[in-house]
Amino acid sequence: MNKLVILGGGYGGMKIINELLPGHLPENASITLIDRVPYHCLKTEYYALAAGTISDKEVRVSFPEHPRLHIHYGVVERIDLKEKKVLLSDGDAVDYDDLVIGLGCEDKYHNVPGADKYTYSIQNIRKARKTYTILNNLPADSVVGIVGAGLSGVELASELSESRPDITIKLFDRGKHILSDFPDRLSKYVEKWFVHHQVDIINESNITKVEEKTLYNHDEPIHCDAIVWTAGIQANRIVREMDIEHDALGRAVITPLHHLPSDEHVFFVGDCASLPHAPSAQLAEGQAIQIVEVLKKRWNQEQLPAALPTIKLKGVLGSLGKKHGFGIMGERPITGRVARLLKSGILWMYKYHNG
């Protein structure tokens, strides 16, 4: 029996399972999915969970059910590549023939003292739940600092401004304009939206230290009743500690077929894989489709290609509260209600196709 083990039931892991089941998994193969929670989580919606505008149930999707899919709930502690074992924190060990590692990412604090201790996060569902509790229990007239004005920081700030209009939100960004990876037109549109909704944008900031309820911008103290960190990511600790080649963010360097150069049976998918594109759910799903093709060819003893087609990304969409949004579809910037409707529609279709 060929044992395919998938670490992490995120977008990549979920896509691999759905591509293989029910009809594309060989009779002599099984899948074991290892995850710390008993459901697939919609990470792209954690900002709304933290802001309190959607319920916990709305970011959960049940894992598929199949006789040859085994769900193993646990926390990965270490991966032994030589012995082909996944070691779990409870002492269990899971053998594999093929391994797909999709353990995601963690916050990167850029060596800012106190950032890891005194800020909240939306990087996983447990942390997003904690952030929700903190933000929504704040009294009126509180101040919330959000460090980082990329997509996650912007969506959290906008959603929180609608959820808690009674508090002050300060959005800190290192650049001259927020959303530096987007065209200037979109950055300016979002900035105007924030001005209209009384969200303070602090451009060209440099957070040098964080203490309890205080962050230091260029060494100047600013009081915040809660601070949320959205200023960068790095690969999951398990991946960073593996004896393999990493990029600057600790992600695994992989071949064009998505596996380790030194081991064709160990694949990486999603935020812990070193890829030329920014991490996203659709990139992880694109990888997953290609990994399945490689696995099927190998299982059928067919020749593998030297490389796979470039993964085509359709665009990026972000929300500004419940009625407005922004993004790029193809190479075309879009803003306003159309962008928000598109994002809502894509989310609905994803949930529909995943049960």
Side-chain angles (χ1 to χ4, degrees):
M1 179 68 75
N2 188 296
K3 300 176 183 177
L4 170 62
V5 174
I6 302 173
L7 305 185
Y11 292 99
M14 189 77 160
K15 188 66 173 178
I16 289 173
I17 293 170
N18 285 331
E19 287 290 307
L20 286 172
L21 299 176
H24 297 287
L25 187 67
E27 291 296 326
N28 64 340
S30 67
I31 302 174
T32 297
L33 171 66
I34 301 176
D35 201 299
R36 64 172 64 213
V37 295
Y39 37 76
H40 167 56
C41 299
L42 304 178
K43 185 177 180 179
T44 58
E45 305 307 303
Y46 285 172
Y47 72 92
L49 173 61
T53 55
I54 62 174
S55 70
D56 187 287
K57 187 176 181 180
E58 291 180 69
V59 300
R60 305 197 313 249
V61 175
S62 298
F63 289 133
E65 295 182 1
H66 190 274
R68 283 184 288 145
L69 171 63
H70 311 288
I71 310 294
H72 193 130
Y73 304 120
V75 178
V76 177
E77 185 62 32
R78 187 168 64 87
I79 300 166
D80 189 331
L81 296 177
K82 291 183 180 179
E83 297 296 326
K84 305 191 78 167
K85 292 179 182 291
V86 177
L87 307 177
L88 304 181
S89 60
D90 62 3
D92 282 354
V94 179
D95 299 328
Y96 66 84
D97 295 306
D98 291 293
L99 179 67
V100 178
I101 301 173
L103 292 173
C105 61
E106 301 172 356
D107 290 297
K108 186 174 179 63
Y109 296 105
H110 309 286
N111 297 316
V112 176
D116 59 338
K117 184 177 182 180
Y118 296 112
T119 67
Y120 299 97
S121 171
I122 57 172
Q123 279 303 327
N124 61 45
I125 193 165
R126 176 180 59 83
K127 292 182 177 180
R129 286 168 174 154
K130 183 177 181 180
T131 301
Y132 158 76
T133 301
I134 295 298
L135 295 181
N136 287 278
N137 282 331
L138 290 173
D141 300 320
S142 294
V143 177
V144 173
I146 299 175
V147 182
L151 185 59
S152 295
V154 163
E155 289 191 308
L156 176 61
S158 63
E159 202 81 3
L160 190 59
S161 73
E162 291 191 350
S163 173
R164 294 295 309 270
D166 57 313
I167 65 176
T168 297
I169 301 169
K170 295 182 179 293
L171 182 59
F172 296 85
D173 187 57
R174 291 181 66 91
K176 293 182 179 179
H177 296 284
I178 62 176
L179 294 171
S180 58
D181 292 335
F182 287 76
D184 286 346
R185 171 189 165 186
L186 293 183
S187 297
K188 292 176 181 178
Y189 172 82
V190 174
E191 286 180 348
K192 287 181 180 179
W193 190 94
F194 279 138
V195 169
H196 179 73
H197 289 79
Q198 299 180 322
V199 173
D200 297 333
I201 301 173
I202 298 91
N203 294 118
E204 299 185 276
S205 63
N206 181 26
I207 307 305
T208 53
K209 183 171 63 173
V210 182
E211 296 177 346
E212 187 173 7
K213 295 190 176 183
T214 305
L215 60 77
Y216 290 77
N217 182 28
H218 296 282
D219 295 325
E220 292 293 325
I222 299 175
H223 170 79
C224 296
D225 295 285
I227 304 165
V228 184
W229 191 271
T230 64
I233 59 172
Q234 60 185 341
N236 180 282
R237 175 187 64 84
I238 303 300
V239 174
R240 299 200 312 271
E241 292 179 354
M242 293 178 69
D243 186 18
I244 58 175
E245 184 180 358
H246 301 88
D247 66 10
L249 297 178
R251 301 178 300 186
V253 174
I254 54 178
T255 71
L257 300 185
H258 307 294
H259 58 67
L260 286 176
S262 59
D263 193 333
E264 65 179 10
H265 296 284
V266 179
F267 298 84
F268 286 80
V269 65
D271 297 351
C272 59
S274 182
L275 296 168
H277 304 287
S280 68
Q282 62 178 311
L283 179 59
E285 289 193 324
Q287 265 193 288
I289 292 171
Q290 293 190 345
I291 289 171
V292 168
E293 290 304 309
V294 172
L295 288 172
K296 289 192 320 188
K297 285 182 178 295
R298 184 179 295 148
W299 290 335
N300 294 328
Q301 297 183 337
E302 299 175 10
Q303 185 174 355
L304 296 174
L308 297 167
T310 301
I311 298 173
K312 295 182 179 180
L313 303 178
K314 297 178 181 179
V316 181
L317 291 169
S319 68
L320 291 173
K322 295 301 181 189
K323 295 183 179 180
H324 296 270
F326 61 94
I328 301 172
M329 296 300 290
E331 297 182 357
R332 180 185 176 186
I334 56 174
T335 58
R337 292 180 181 271
V338 172
R340 189 65 180 90
L341 287 170
L342 280 172
K343 180 174 181 181
S344 297
I346 290 171
L347 177 63
W348 185 89
M349 288 294 292
Y350 183 87
K351 287 183 175 181
Y352 176 81
H353 286 294
N354 287 278

